[in-house]
């Protein structure tokens, strides 16, 4: 599974941000191939005032489906809507997703020893 992450910085004008964000989100919800959508509202930081305001994560089954969604007509329209926000007010990331069961990280298999060792 892969995801497309949009990290939104704290807006100068929250009302203006929300207007653009809601229009953008309406388009995102119509994009093909999205398996899961997760919105994270940042409430604070142990290091003081947070720079991040919100994170939107879009999950896809594969990189190909992600690319297809982003390059679709509705994906391109969503991208243009996002560009209405001030430059530098958001960051975009692609990520691989690894799910862990039971809160334990699996250990990699030890490398096979060669006959020369």
């Amino acid at each position: 599974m892969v995801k497309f992450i949009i990290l939104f910085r704290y807006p100068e004008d929250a009302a203006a941000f929300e207007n653009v964000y809601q229009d953008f989100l309406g388009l995102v919800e119509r994009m093909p191939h999205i398996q899961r959508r997760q919105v994270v509202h940042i409430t604070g930081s142990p290091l003081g005032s947070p720079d991040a305001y919100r994170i939107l994560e879009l999950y896809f089954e594969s990189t190909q489906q992600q690319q297809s969604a982003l390059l679709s007509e509705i994906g391109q329209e969503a991208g243009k809507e996002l560009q209405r926000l001030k430059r530098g007010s958001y960051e975009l990331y692609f990520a691989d997703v690894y799910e862990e069961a039971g809160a334990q990280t699996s250990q990699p298999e030890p490398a096979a020893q060669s006959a020369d060792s």
Side-chain angles (χ1 to χ4, degrees):
M1 184 160 280
V2 298
K3 67 180 171 178
F4 180 58
I5 304 164
I6 306 170
L7 182 142
F8 296 96
R9 302 249 175 251
Y10 209 88
E12 294 172 5
D13 181 345
F17 168 82
E18 291 300 337
N19 285 336
V20 173
Y21 178 79
Q22 292 304 318
D23 291 343
F24 169 71
L25 194 58
L27 293 166
V28 165
E29 289 173 345
R30 295 176 24 220
M31 287 172 52
H33 308 301
I34 295 175
Q35 299 292 311
R36 177 175 157 210
R37 177 175 54 91
Q38 185 172 17
V39 178
V40 179
H41 295 278
I42 307 299
T43 59
S45 167
L47 301 175
S49 213
D51 187 32
Y53 179 70
R54 184 172 297 155
I55 301 169
L56 174 63
E57 298 174 308
L58 305 175
Y59 292 78
F60 299 90
E61 197 61 42
S62 67
T63 300
Q64 294 77 16
Q65 287 187 349
Q66 179 180 265
Q67 289 176 342
S68 176
L70 295 175
L71 294 173
S72 70
E73 185 176 331
I74 199 73
Q76 293 297 298
E77 194 175 336
K80 288 177 185 168
E81 188 67 28
L82 187 61
Q83 291 175 6
R84 289 180 47 209
L85 294 173
K86 181 180 172 185
R87 186 179 193 109
S89 67
Y90 60 90
E91 295 179 29
L92 308 172
Y93 300 98
F94 296 114
D96 289 323
V97 177
Y98 300 95
E99 298 285 337
E100 295 181 355
Q104 290 188 353
T105 303
S106 59
Q107 298 296 315
E109 293 292 324
Q113 299 248 334
S114 70
D116 296 336
S117 335

